[in-house]
Amino acid sequence: MVQIAILSGNRDEAEYFFLETEKFIRTKGLNRRKSRKVRLLHHCYVFERLSHESTFTQNTLNLDHRNRVREAIEASGASAYSQDSLSFRLTTWSNLDQEIHKVKGQEEGENDLHLQHPGIWSATLYPEIFGVPELHLFMLSLVIRLAREKEQNQDELINSGLTLKEFMARAKAVERWIKQLHVLRQSIWMVEAPVDPEHQQSVNLLNSLADTMQHALSVYFYRRIYDLDPSMLQKHVLGVRDRLLEFDASDAGMGYGSLRLIWPAFVAACETDDDDIRASFVQWFECAAKRSGLRIFTETKERIEQIWIGRDSTDRQNGFG
């Protein structure tokens, strides 16, 4: 049902099913021996959930449902099997540079559902399913958590025990690792040397996917955490746009293959004021919608266009238009 709601472009309905899926996984799926099929389903849920949490800006409208889900999980006693918290809040790590190289055991690797904790889980399935290292998704999870911390009111911030200095130190650590993701992925995500042109193309596509995610992560981080002006992020916006065009020129970008590119395309497209670049993103979404027949591409394009309209209106009011 989550996939149906997502692909049809119904974000409110998707939110409901995401929360119900989380409740089911945490109460029924973590305290057990997990088959490959179960792990695949968990990975698919988390990939989509992180994309949802970072783009669905109206999550506060469902706060009551989120609280009910958390209470149901806690009442069942199943929260003891979760290696992560039941909300997207910052973890307790203090030295990301050191902890990110920690090797996770099986229980932590499988039951750190929303990727709260730093570390390397060699049996992760994200590269196999989505062509993206788990590290990139962990960084997305961290930025979501940093953003939630930033959005707290002052009383909550004081109660959380996290000072502004500590928050900025964590933000700087995340920024540093996002910048060097391409270096780290080469050391922990080993790919066999290509043996033929077809294999070489596959390796190139995997590298391109990882680069696309890194550019989009940079855009998302700098806008959500530092609130940089979009004009300062155009290098990364163009990085995403150019990778989209590369995928369009290959079989990997056809039809359903474009689904894994929606998140970076959305994040980057929202942050450009250039008419030509906007037009290229619009064309990409329209072509993807036509090839796949999926409403989600059209719905996402319309959301982006509404964001552009709102920003242009604000700029004109401020005398920048």
Side-chain angles (χ1 to χ4, degrees), residues 10-262:
N10 191 327
R11 296 281 174 169
D12 292 298
E13 195 171 86
E15 164 89 354
Y16 172 85
F17 288 120
F18 269 126
L19 296 175
E20 291 301 309
T21 300
E22 178 185 0
K23 180 171 69 175
F24 181 80
I25 290 175
R26 291 193 187 278
T27 57
K28 305 293 185 182
L30 297 186
N31 183 29
R32 56 177 288 184
R33 181 182 178 87
K34 303 170 190 64
S35 66
R36 175 178 170 81
K37 181 178 180 180
V38 167
R39 292 186 59 225
L40 284 168
L41 291 172
H42 288 187
H43 279 66
C44 289
Y45 155 76
V46 176
F47 184 88
E48 298 293 353
R49 179 68 184 272
L50 293 179
S51 298
H52 175 79
E53 292 292 328
S54 56
T55 58
F56 187 64
T57 56
Q58 296 174 301
N59 57 72
T60 53
L61 298 179
N62 296 285
L63 189 58
D64 287 343
H65 189 193
R66 289 177 178 240
N67 288 336
R68 288 196 301 273
V69 166
R70 186 184 69 251
E71 290 167 359
I73 295 170
E74 291 173 342
S76 72
S79 58
Y81 305 111
S82 296
Q83 291 287 318
D84 59 328
S85 67
L86 302 184
S87 61
F88 283 89
R89 303 300 296 272
L90 276 176
T91 184
T92 55
W93 55 264
S94 57
N95 188 337
L96 184 61
D97 295 338
Q98 177 180 338
E99 295 182 41
I100 204 167
H101 292 286
K102 178 188 69 175
V103 176
K104 291 183 177 181
Q106 180 177 353
E107 183 178 0
E108 185 178 10
E110 292 182 352
N111 291 1
D112 180 14
L113 189 62
H114 290 157
L115 303 179
Q116 176 177 331
H117 302 289
I120 300 170
W121 171 228
S122 60
T124 181
L125 298 176
Y126 291 110
E128 179 180 341
I129 304 171
F130 301 106
V132 176
E134 180 172 297
L135 180 62
H136 291 57
L137 296 172
F138 167 67
M139 286 297 166
L140 174 56
S141 177
L142 280 189
V143 180
I144 292 170
R145 296 169 193 278
L146 279 169
R148 296 285 167 85
E149 205 75 28
K150 179 185 175 184
E151 291 167 353
Q152 291 184 110
N153 63 46
Q154 193 60 38
D155 290 339
E156 289 177 322
L157 187 60
I158 292 173
N159 292 335
S160 73
L162 188 68
T163 66
L164 177 60
K165 181 179 179 181
E166 291 170 331
F167 175 85
M168 291 306 298
R170 293 191 180 196
K172 286 292 184 183
V174 174
E175 177 186 13
R176 186 164 58 251
W177 279 107
I178 289 176
K179 285 182 176 179
Q180 56 186 346
L181 276 174
H182 64 289
V183 176
L184 191 58
R185 80 166 185 260
Q186 291 172 1
S187 64
I188 66 174
W189 187 27
M190 301 302 294
V191 178
E192 295 180 4
V195 296
D196 54 50
E198 184 176 349
H199 189 193
Q200 180 66 61
Q201 182 184 31
S202 177
V203 171
N204 291 343
L205 287 172
L206 289 174
N207 287 333
S208 187
L209 266 174
D211 287 341
T212 306
M213 282 293 294
Q214 183 173 2
H215 281 299
L217 273 169
S218 296
V219 173
Y220 184 63
F221 173 84
Y222 285 119
R223 285 294 284 154
R224 295 287 282 120
I225 306 304
Y226 293 161
D227 197 23
L228 289 188
D229 188 273
S231 63
M232 302 177 69
L233 303 174
Q234 294 313 292
K235 177 183 73 172
H236 296 298
V237 170
L238 286 173
V240 173
R241 195 279 308 272
D242 292 346
R243 297 304 183 280
L244 296 180
L245 297 180
E246 289 177 9
F247 278 102
D248 271 357
S250 70
D251 292 339
M254 300 299 288
Y256 295 102
S258 298
L259 280 171
R260 55 188 165 179
L261 299 171
I262 286 182

Side-chain angles (χ1 to χ4, degrees), residues 292-321:
S292 67
L294 298 175
R295 170 67 187 169
I296 186 173
F297 291 104
T298 302
E299 186 270 347
T300 304
K301 177 183 74 77
E302 291 171 351
R303 288 183 65 202
I304 293 169
E305 289 173 332
Q306 288 300 313
I307 290 171
W308 289 340
I309 291 171
R311 179 173 297 150
D312 291 346
S313 176
T314 300
D315 287 345
R316 285 193 296 271
Q317 292 174 8
N318 293 332
F320 297 121

